[in-house]
Amino acid sequence: MKKRVAILISGRGSNMRSLMAAASAPDFPAEIALVISNIGSAAGIQFAADAGIATEIVPHKAYESREAFDRAVSAHLEEAKIDIVCLAGFMRILSDWFASRWQGRMINIHPSLLPLFKGTHVHEQALQAGVRVSGCTVHFVVPELDAGPIIAQATVPVKSDDTPETLAARVLVEEHKLYPAALKLLAEGKVRLEAGRAVFSC
Ligand code: GRF
């Protein structure tokens, strides 16, 4: 039986689209059952709706606290019987409650080789540091931001004339391949979170 996946987005949703494309293959072990955005105008939400996927807008500004927002999101996930949550450009910091509630079943993609360059302005950080290689990481989500156990990584070269935009574009190409591959591993049970580490059985 395919795992039911929800994707949480805040913006254009290109990683969401790569997950949707992968999940459209008959033998992919997961289906995209729900897309949630905290931003009603997010381009990705229209794309998902047009593709016939259930969507929910949960505007964070309508909630008095971070946890109240997170509980509203979680209620939608539970109602849709979601097995796995994929964060894809979801620009909200999650409460410890939410991270614990979905621990081991929630993954994120980050556009750097973690543990380097957490947070925002990631490509600026990479160029500032002068690294010759950058990339992207898919990791389990834990309460600490961008600190969860690593499932998969891909690298790209950093060129001497790179701007944050050119580097971001090169990394994004790899993100679109890496995220579906990592979701496949999780959905097939080939990676799991155990005692704070990603444990692989493949
Ligand atoms: C991606 O670079 C992702 O790694 C980061 O936010 C960006 C989202 O882009 N977390 P998109 O909305 O998936 O196009």
Coordinates of all heavy atoms in Angstrom, one line a residue, residues 12-15 88-89 109-111 172 175, ligand 1:
R12 N 6.9 28.9 -4.3 CA 6.7 28.5 -5.7 C 6.4 27.0 -5.8 O 5.8 26.6 -6.8 CB 7.9 28.9 -6.6 CG 9.1 28.2 -6.2 CD 10.4 28.7 -6.9 NE 11.5 28.1 -6.1 CZ 12.7 28.3 -6.3 NH1 13.1 29.1 -7.3 NH2 13.6 27.8 -5.5
G13 N 7.0 26.2 -4.9 CA 6.7 24.8 -4.9 C 7.4 24.0 -6.0 O 6.8 23.0 -6.4
S14 N 8.6 24.3 -6.4 CA 9.3 23.5 -7.4 C 9.6 22.1 -6.9 O 9.5 21.1 -7.6 CB 10.5 24.2 -8.0 OG 11.5 24.3 -7.1
N15 N 10.0 22.1 -5.6 CA 10.3 20.8 -5.0 C 9.0 19.9 -4.9 O 9.0 18.7 -5.1 CB 11.0 20.9 -3.7 CG 12.5 21.1 -3.8 OD1 13.2 20.2 -4.2 ND2 12.9 22.3 -3.6
A88 N 8.7 21.5 2.0 CA 9.3 21.9 0.8 C 9.2 23.4 0.6 O 8.2 23.9 0.0 CB 8.7 21.2 -0.4
G89 N 10.2 24.1 1.2 CA 10.1 25.6 1.1 C 9.0 26.1 2.0 O 8.3 27.1 1.7
I109 N 13.9 19.4 2.9 CA 15.1 19.6 2.0 C 15.6 21.0 2.3 O 14.9 22.0 2.5 CB 14.7 19.5 0.6 CG1 16.0 19.5 -0.3 CG2 13.7 20.5 0.1 CD1 15.9 18.7 -1.6
H110 N 17.0 21.1 2.4 CA 17.7 22.3 2.7 C 18.8 22.5 1.7 O 19.5 21.5 1.3 CB 18.3 22.2 4.1 CG 19.0 23.5 4.5 ND1 18.2 24.6 5.0 CD2 20.3 23.8 4.5 CE1 19.1 25.5 5.3 NE2 20.3 25.1 5.0
P111 N 18.9 23.7 1.1 CA 19.9 23.9 0.0 C 21.3 24.1 0.4 O 22.0 25.1 -0.1 CB 19.3 25.1 -0.7 CG 18.6 25.9 0.4 CD 18.1 24.9 1.4
L172 N 19.4 23.8 -7.0 CA 17.9 23.4 -7.2 C 17.8 22.2 -8.1 O 16.9 21.3 -7.9 CB 17.1 24.6 -7.6 CG 15.6 24.5 -7.5 CD1 15.1 24.3 -6.1 CD2 14.9 25.7 -8.2
E175 N 18.3 19.3 -6.0 CA 17.2 19.2 -5.0 C 16.1 18.4 -5.7 O 15.5 17.5 -5.0 CB 16.6 20.5 -4.6 CG 17.6 21.3 -3.8 CD 16.9 22.6 -3.2 OE1 15.8 22.6 -2.7 OE2 17.6 23.7 -3.3
Ligands
GRF1 C1 14.4 25.2 -1.8 O1 15.7 25.7 -2.2 C2 14.5 24.4 -0.6 O2 15.7 23.7 -0.5 C3 14.4 25.4 0.5 O3 13.5 26.4 0.0 C4 13.5 26.3 -1.4 C5 12.1 26.1 -1.9 O4 11.9 26.1 -3.2 N1 14.0 24.8 1.7 P1 10.6 25.6 -3.9 O5 9.4 26.3 -3.3 O6 10.5 24.1 -3.7 O7 10.7 25.9 -5.4

